[in-house]
Amino acid sequence: MAARRPSTAVFLVGFMGAGKTSVGQSLAQRLNWSFEDLDDRIVRVSGRTVAEIFRDSGELAFRQAERTALEQVLQELQTGAVRIVALGGGAFAQAQNHQSIQASGIPTVFLDASLAELWRRCVQQSDTKRPLQTSQDTFRDIYSYRLRYYQTASLRMDTTEQNVEAIAAEIAETLGLRKMPRKKTTQRIE
Ligand code: S3P
């Protein structure tokens, strides 16, 4: 049997407040990989914040921008980019996105926590990029709907009362992710 090539990309999925960005940054640093937050690409390309897109164009427009951004990222990963990618909470729960990600064979990690903990973190962060964080009831309903998608991830990690570095270490170990050699910087002679 041919040996499987080690992964060079990982998607972090899960609900708002799951810690996708902080765990992603820590994991990328540990492996010397690059890190990308998909929402940052959407903001860069559109020249508007997530909140502005939702407010001025609606959720559907945001989902279209998200889909385009994801397709671009998938192409880059398929042509060799070595990267940890944190997806916005809704990205993996869109049927088309879910299908493209699963078809790519790139491992996905579902970062999870109790609803109370996810809500607490979101309130604490009071991040303006979360227009869907309205009431606790809506928060719970959206989470319940998305769970069926999140649960198809290659790995689930409970982040409740865990520190970011420990979670990153466990993901690297479980998925057998390889550290990249640091790029040599050429020293200039003054
Ligand atoms: C969303 C989550 C946000 C952002 C947008 C929509 C969602 O990202 O993409 O507000 O649908 O759950 P985070 O999960 O990083 O908060």
Side-chain angles (χ1 to χ4, degrees):
M1 200 170 81
R4 275 187 64 169
R5 276 211 277 150
S7 306
T8 53
V10 172
F11 282 110
L12 298 183
V13 308
F15 209 53
M16 296 174 261
K20 301 174 296 275
T21 303
S22 36
V23 169
Q25 282 168 339
S26 169
L27 182 56
Q29 199 176 27
R30 166 176 295 270
L31 299 169
N32 296 328
W33 292 18
S34 65
F35 169 77
E36 176 168 5
D37 185 318
L38 193 74
D39 284 331
D40 291 343
R41 182 181 291 242
I42 299 168
V43 168
R44 206 173 52 243
V45 170
S46 71
R48 295 189 290 167
T49 65
V50 171
E52 283 166 351
I53 303 173
F54 268 80
R55 187 195 62 206
D56 302 338
S57 310
E59 181 174 350
L60 194 62
F62 175 77
R63 296 296 167 208
Q64 276 158 358
E66 184 174 60
R67 164 120 201 99
T68 306
L70 176 66
E71 285 303 323
Q72 286 172 352
V73 168
L74 278 167
Q75 270 208 340
E76 292 166 13
L77 300 182
Q78 267 143 10
T79 49
V82 178
R83 198 178 300 163
I84 303 292
V85 182
L87 299 183
F92 193 56
Q94 298 290 314
Q96 253 191 319
N97 294 346
H98 182 264
Q99 207 181 15
S100 317
I101 292 171
Q102 299 296 63
S104 74
I106 294 168
T108 45
V109 180
F110 169 28
L111 297 182
D112 200 15
S114 68
L115 263 174
E117 174 67 10
L118 293 168
W119 178 259
R120 191 191 61 76
R121 290 180 195 164
C122 286
V123 170
Q124 205 171 40
Q125 293 163 4
S126 62
D127 200 323
T128 52
K129 78 163 191 152
R130 295 186 177 133
L132 294 180
Q133 181 206 338
T134 50
S135 69
Q136 264 181 286
D137 280 352
T138 314
F139 199 75
R140 190 197 51 235
D141 290 348
I142 304 175
Y143 176 88
S144 310
Y145 170 77
R146 289 180 181 171
L147 202 52
R148 71 202 71 181
Y149 289 98
Y150 296 151
Q151 279 170 337
T152 65
S154 332
L155 176 67
R156 175 184 174 273
M157 297 280 307
D158 192 340
T159 65
T160 317
E161 286 174 30
Q162 295 273 6
N163 79 57
V164 165
E165 281 73 32
I167 299 165
E170 202 174 324
I171 295 172
E173 165 84 25
T174 312
L175 294 180
L177 305 176
R178 299 241 183 111
K179 193 168 176 166
M180 286 284 156
R182 239 175 232 295
K183 278 207 189 93
K184 280 208 184 98
T185 48
T186 38
Q187 280 209 327
R188 279 176 48 191
I189 302 167
E190 300 294 336

